[in-house]
Amino acid sequence: MRSAFYENKTAPYQMFASHTLTDAPHLHKEIEIVYVREGGVMAHADKNCEFIAKDGLFISFPNQIHFYESCQAGDYYVLILLPDMFFGLKNTLRGMVPESNVVPCAQTLLPYIERAFAAFGEYRDAIVAGHLTLMMSELLGLLPLRKSLVSDNSTLHNILDFCNRNVSGALSLETVAESLHLSRFYISRLLTRELNMGFSDFVSLLRVNRACDLLADTDKKIADVSEDAGFATIRSFNRAFARHMNMTPLQYRKTLRDAESGERK
């Protein structure tokens, strides 16, 4: 899964299947849904952190900070959806957030997702919107909701975006503070409050996310991936990768290659 940092998407929806999930903390105006067909992943949304097991569903509402780690190889449906595509629901989706972002046993929602994936033809967008609106109507009945609170998301947006764009370089708290004209103490407090992690852990996760893209898309040696992702040493890279992805970089690459090979057979 590729990073979804603050993209201005023109389509009302994106849907794809993936064998693993990698994403550094990010937020956007869309709803993001992950359905676990096989495998499992630790999902974070704001201060909520829950494990999604097989047949579980995760949803993040617009402008909720979310990310994934400790992902098991498996099969995941990923949907990124604009609230405007849901007739009669967009105000709820924009003004509320769930108490919990995970529905543990969501098998009743899977047929709607599968029909949306299978839609084709001239009226595909309308068919997809219809199936997903029915899914969302049922899903909202399973989630206790509360009003969303105003936070420092615009400032946090700028911090996350700057770090994402400069992740491969010499990224430090002082560099971010100077570039964005913010106090480094404010940045540190904001990340701890909103992400439940310090600056160094956040940068480590960003770099692991970058390494996952390189491992998936290139044949670069592990040492070169480590350097290109911004790690100072192979040892620190391997340690950070194992902590966030629950496997080694070589195992991650092999998992993806084996899955791709199986699909071609």
Side-chain angles (χ1 to χ4, degrees):
M1 180 177 176
R2 297 296 173 260
S3 179
F5 274 87
Y6 328 112
E7 297 172 12
N8 291 316
K9 303 178 181 72
T10 55
Y13 62 88
Q14 293 185 43
M15 304 186 301
F16 55 92
S18 179
H19 295 296
T20 188
L21 300 172
T22 62
D23 240 334
H26 63 284
L27 66 158
H28 44 66
K29 63 187 176 184
E30 292 83 11
I31 299 151
E32 188 164 311
I33 292 173
V34 171
Y35 189 98
V36 180
R37 295 295 311 278
E38 296 289 343
V41 64
M42 189 67 70
H44 301 252
D46 290 339
K47 293 181 175 62
N48 295 333
C49 175
E50 298 179 70
F51 186 78
I52 323 170
K54 176 179 165 60
D55 289 318
L57 180 145
F58 168 83
I59 180 170
S60 69
F61 276 38
N63 293 319
Q64 279 199 293
I65 303 156
H66 55 286
F67 63 98
Y68 313 97
E69 62 178 343
S70 301
C71 182
Q72 301 169 5
D75 292 300
Y76 302 89
Y77 284 148
V78 181
L79 302 92
I80 301 174
L81 315 166
L82 278 173
D84 288 354
M85 71 182 290
F86 300 111
F87 178 76
L89 300 176
K90 64 181 181 181
N91 290 335
T92 297
L93 294 169
R94 284 177 171 166
M96 309 289 282
V97 292
E99 294 284 356
S100 168
N101 295 80
V102 173
V103 178
C105 297
Q107 293 96 324
T108 59
L109 304 175
L110 180 58
Y112 300 119
I113 297 173
E114 291 180 328
R115 289 173 195 141
F117 269 83
F120 67 95
E122 182 180 358
Y123 302 106
R124 178 175 184 268
D125 287 353
I127 296 169
V128 168
H131 288 308
L132 294 183
T133 297
L134 289 171
M135 177 208 67
M136 190 61 69
S137 299
E138 187 171 330
L139 173 58
L140 290 178
L142 302 173
L143 291 173
L145 301 177
R146 59 176 173 79
K147 287 186 178 180
S148 59
L149 302 175
V150 176
S151 68
D152 297 301
N153 272 354
S154 60
T155 301
L156 186 61
H157 170 162
N158 293 335
I159 295 168
L160 300 186
D161 185 50
F162 179 88
C163 291
N164 183 58
R165 288 186 286 105
N166 295 278
V167 66
S168 298
L171 192 59
S172 68
L173 189 56
E174 289 72 19
T175 302
V176 179
E178 183 178 348
S179 299
L180 299 181
H181 307 291
L182 297 169
S183 160
R184 69 177 189 271
F185 302 108
Y186 172 71
I187 294 172
S188 181
R189 286 198 303 269
L190 184 61
L191 292 178
T192 300
R193 190 185 77 202
E194 298 295 337
L195 303 183
N196 284 330
M197 67 175 72
F199 180 81
S200 60
D201 286 337
F202 167 61
V203 172
S204 173
L205 182 56
L206 270 181
R207 288 175 171 158
V208 167
N209 186 63
R210 169 65 177 154
C212 286
D213 286 350
L214 293 170
L215 290 166
D217 296 338
T218 74
D219 293 318
K220 289 185 174 185
K221 296 178 180 179
I222 298 300
D224 294 332
V225 169
S226 171
E227 183 178 350
D228 290 350
F231 287 95
T233 66
I234 285 284
R235 183 181 180 185
S236 63
F237 172 49
N238 287 331
R239 188 166 57 242
F241 200 96
R243 185 170 74 252
H244 292 299
M245 298 304 296
N246 204 30
M247 65 181 81
T248 68
L250 281 174
Q251 288 170 334
Y252 179 82
R253 175 175 272 169
K254 185 177 185 301
T255 295
L256 293 183
R257 300 292 163 85
D258 288 348
E260 290 170 0
S261 177
E263 287 181 350
R264 288 194 294 267
K265 291 181 180 178

